[in-house]
Amino acid sequence: MDFVMAFVVGGLICLIGQILMDTTKLFPAHILVLFVTLGAVLSGLGLYQPLVDIGKAGATIPITGFGHNLVTGVIQDVDQYGLLGVFTGALRSAAGGITAAIVFGFLMALLFNPKSK
Amino acid sequence: MPIITKEQQEYKNFAKSKRPKPPLLKNMIMAFIVGGIICTIGQFVLSFFISRGLTPGQAGGPTSIVMIFIGAFLTGIGVYDKIGKYAGAGSVVPITGFANSIVSPAMEFKREGFVFGVASKMFIVAGPVLVYGITSATLIGLIYYLLKLL
Amino acid sequence: MKKLGSQTVKFENPPSIIGTATIVGPKEGQGRFKDYYDLILKDSIYQEKSWEKAETKILKEAVEMAIKNSKIPTSKVEYFIAGDLLNQIISAGFAARELGLPFLGIYGACSTIAQGAILGSMIIDGGFAENLVAAVSSHFCTAERQFRFPLELGNQRKPTSQWTVTGAGAMVLSSNIQNPRITHATVGKVIDMGEADPNDMGTAMAPAAVDTIIRHFQDTGKTPDDYDLILTGDLGSIGKDIAEDLLKQKGYDISSKYSDCGVLIFYPEQDVHAGASGCACAAVVTCGYVYKEMLKGKYNKVLLVATGALLSTTSSQQGETIPCIAHAISIENL
């Protein structure tokens, strides 16, 4: 059941992205920025966690889930450390993802070259 | 922004009638299916980590790392852009697309050197995502902190 | 007076095109004009270390081939007029470094081949040289990374987008009398109809092509019937459609003899959306197909209207609309 819900929720989030891409002049980069911010805002309003409860990876794998992850971290750290947590929470909770992206990105760039089209 | 004259406005309307629309329905279906598949793979990875004894909260981190690796590797071997051609947002929106947006410029600008090429161009798309993601999360954290003080 | 009307030149001693050469990438080599190119690359990196170096190399080799085909010794070639799409026209400048010919670098975006032919013809008809070469190049991979995205970024191309031609075209112009010859040239004005979408160049450029075509007919007193073939540079399928309609509205029906290099280069099933573009687009069709068919006599009077979009990534990001240009040359067997 988790797999079906992950497929449906993840698919729907991507579908919204596609509609935005095809009906506006937004580039993929705009969509990513918009979605990460949207995920953060929804998370702050307490609306994203229910989606994660339903969709599991379907809600956490899209970039909106990254925004949610950042906010979850901030809120945890604020609870624990107060004002300092405002500044440490986001990156602490996203540390794994960001480090993986940088290191794997660098590694792949060392190993591979773009293919001619 | 430049001022649009009446003549230019007329041309805009005329050109609009000539311009083909993207095949929205087909693109939507492809985005839904591919996006869904990527998230289902993510769910497999997540379930794997949970079965190894992590809580769902703890398993999210390693799942992202694995998915980012998959996205980065598929970009390296030149497959991700082919998926993207058909999937559109279906492969842009998942975290694998974020990895693609980091690896593709890093590879592309290798010939401009490892400092001004690879390392600085790596963030042409990912940089804005981090800037807006972190800034908005921090603002939300600040609001949360202030509300707690009340 | 060699000047006709406000924007057209009629050459007193029409310069001859005495040799041409075209080099294209593998994708272009599977397209409609595959039998007309002098060299089809197996790989668009062409044994070089970067796409930019590859583009320089194909430009340089196309020029050398054209000179060879013209049967004129290189020492008799007095100017090398060239341009390309890259910042500071590095392909042309670097090719000139290798060629060692007196160099005039020009930029007219995708219209550059017509700009080069016009300036070259003026130099020859003006008596400032007897032989010179005009050439351009473009490369899909160099253009993508400069104007758009990294090659491996998984984005979807819009249906209005066009595919930059990988290739180079060169023509040797001479005061020697032989066919075909450049008889008229109409220098276009920059037209901006307020289009701003860099993924839809055809729509932006069509009004410039229309303006130049009408100006050409008015200045010369010619009609569409005076030509066997009217060819625009790289409007693509959407721009071509628009140009045809606009011309019809203004009373010029050219549909029976009109085509567009950007529409022709690739077959529709090659998945290039609205068609081809790039400096090499108009150049390889003109120096390849058109030139060779004119030698055989299939066409005797051709009007080439090469089109260019004079934008940059900076102007686009600042929200500027796209200024466009079109230059026309009449190539005729006299």
Side-chain angles (χ1 to χ4, degrees), chain B residues 1 7-8 11-12 14-15 18-20 22 27 78 81 84-86 88 100-101 104-105 107-109 111-112, chain C residues 49-51 145 150-154 156 159-160 192-195 200 203 207 238 241-242 245-246 271 319-320:
Chain B
M1 284 294 266
E7 202 188 359
Q8 286 175 326
Y11 182 67
K12 228 178 196 41
F14 167 70
K18 293 282 184 185
R19 192 173 295 142
N27 285 352
D81 70 309
K85 196 174 137 186
Y86 298 102
N100 170 252
S101 80
S104 56
M107 279 187 342
E108 180 73 55
F109 292 92
R111 286 160 189 140
E112 280 74 13
Chain C
K49 286 208 174 66
S50 71
W51 309 118
R145 73 205 297 260
L151 294 172
E152 300 293 343
L153 189 69
Q156 218 163 23
T160 51
D192 185 338
M193 290 304 281
E195 291 296 311
D200 186 4
T203 307
I238 303 156
D241 198 23
I242 292 175
D245 267 27
L246 289 178
D271 195 27
E320 264 285 1

Side-chain angles (χ1 to χ4, degrees), chain C residues 18 27 39 51 65 75 93 129 136 141 145 150 160 163 166 199 204 214 219 229 256 287 297 307 309 316 328-329 331:
Chain C
I18 59 169
K27 191 182 174 88
L39 177 66
W51 309 118
M65 264 189 227
S75 57
V136 298
C141 300
R145 73 205 297 260
T160 51
W163 189 276
T166 299
N199 284 310
I214 292 175
D219 284 351
L229 177 66
S256 61
C287 298
T307 42
S316 265
I329 50 173
I331 311 173

Side-chain angles (χ1 to χ4, degrees), chain C residues 1-200:
Chain C
M1 265 308 265
K2 295 176 182 182
K3 191 83 185 286
L4 295 179
S6 57
Q7 283 167 245
T8 304
V9 170
K10 182 176 192 290
F11 296 109
E12 215 159 76
N13 300 299
S16 311
I17 305 176
I18 59 169
T20 66
T22 50
I23 299 180
V24 295
K27 191 182 174 88
E28 291 72 19
Q30 291 162 3
R32 192 172 272 115
F33 298 132
K34 52 183 167 293
D35 300 329
Y36 292 90
Y37 302 124
D38 294 87
L39 177 66
I40 296 170
L41 304 180
K42 288 193 187 69
D43 183 343
S44 56
I45 191 101
Y46 203 17
Q47 293 111 43
E48 286 293 325
K49 286 208 174 66
S50 71
W51 309 118
E52 287 75 11
K53 286 191 166 74
E55 184 177 335
T56 298
K57 187 172 167 185
I58 55 176
L59 177 57
K60 171 189 155 259
E61 292 192 357
V63 170
E64 288 170 343
M65 264 189 227
I67 294 173
K68 199 165 152 237
N69 291 343
S70 74
K71 312 243 168 17
I72 290 234
T74 310
S75 57
K76 291 252 172 85
V77 176
E78 291 154 278
Y79 296 98
F80 169 48
I81 304 175
D84 60 272
L85 289 176
L86 301 185
N87 293 339
Q88 288 77 43
I89 53 168
I90 52 171
S91 310
F94 285 49
R97 178 177 70 179
E98 308 292 315
L99 289 163
L101 296 167
F103 169 58
L104 292 167
I106 56 172
Y107 186 78
C110 309
S111 74
T112 307
I113 189 65
Q115 191 181 346
I118 291 172
L119 293 170
S121 300
M122 286 175 172
I123 290 172
I124 287 175
D125 193 34
F128 301 105
E130 275 166 9
N131 307 290
L132 56 82
V133 58
V136 298
S137 65
S138 57
H139 194 302
F140 177 77
C141 300
T142 61
E144 280 297 301
R145 73 205 297 260
Q146 178 178 306
F147 289 102
R148 295 177 195 96
F149 300 107
L151 294 172
E152 300 293 343
L153 189 69
N155 59 337
Q156 218 163 23
R157 300 168 70 82
K158 302 268 180 203
T160 51
S161 67
Q162 289 172 260
W163 189 276
T164 305
V165 170
T166 299
M171 54 169 82
V172 179
L173 302 179
S174 172
S175 55
N176 290 357
I177 293 172
Q178 73 185 63
N179 281 329
R181 302 170 77 180
I182 297 178
T183 56
H184 298 78
T186 305
V187 176
K189 287 191 287 200
V190 173
I191 306 282
D192 185 338
M193 290 304 281
E195 291 296 311
D197 183 358
N199 284 310
D200 186 4

Side-chain angles (χ1 to χ4, degrees), chain A residues 65 70 78 80 90 92 99 106:
Chain A
L70 293 169
V78 169
Q80 210 170 343
R92 187 190 52 73
T99 306
F106 189 66

Side-chain angles (χ1 to χ4, degrees), chain B residues 89-146:
Chain B
S91 60
V92 169
V93 171
I95 195 96
T96 46
F98 180 67
N100 170 252
S101 80
I102 289 186
V103 178
S104 56
M107 279 187 342
E108 180 73 55
F109 292 92
K110 209 192 326 189
R111 286 160 189 140
E112 280 74 13
F114 281 93
V115 174
F116 292 112
V118 176
S120 77
K121 300 283 187 188
M122 205 180 226
F123 294 102
I124 49 171
V125 177
V129 173
L130 292 176
V131 169
Y132 288 100
I134 291 169
T135 308
S136 51
T138 305
L139 276 177
I140 290 163
L142 186 65
I143 294 167
Y144 176 72
Y145 173 77
L146 293 174

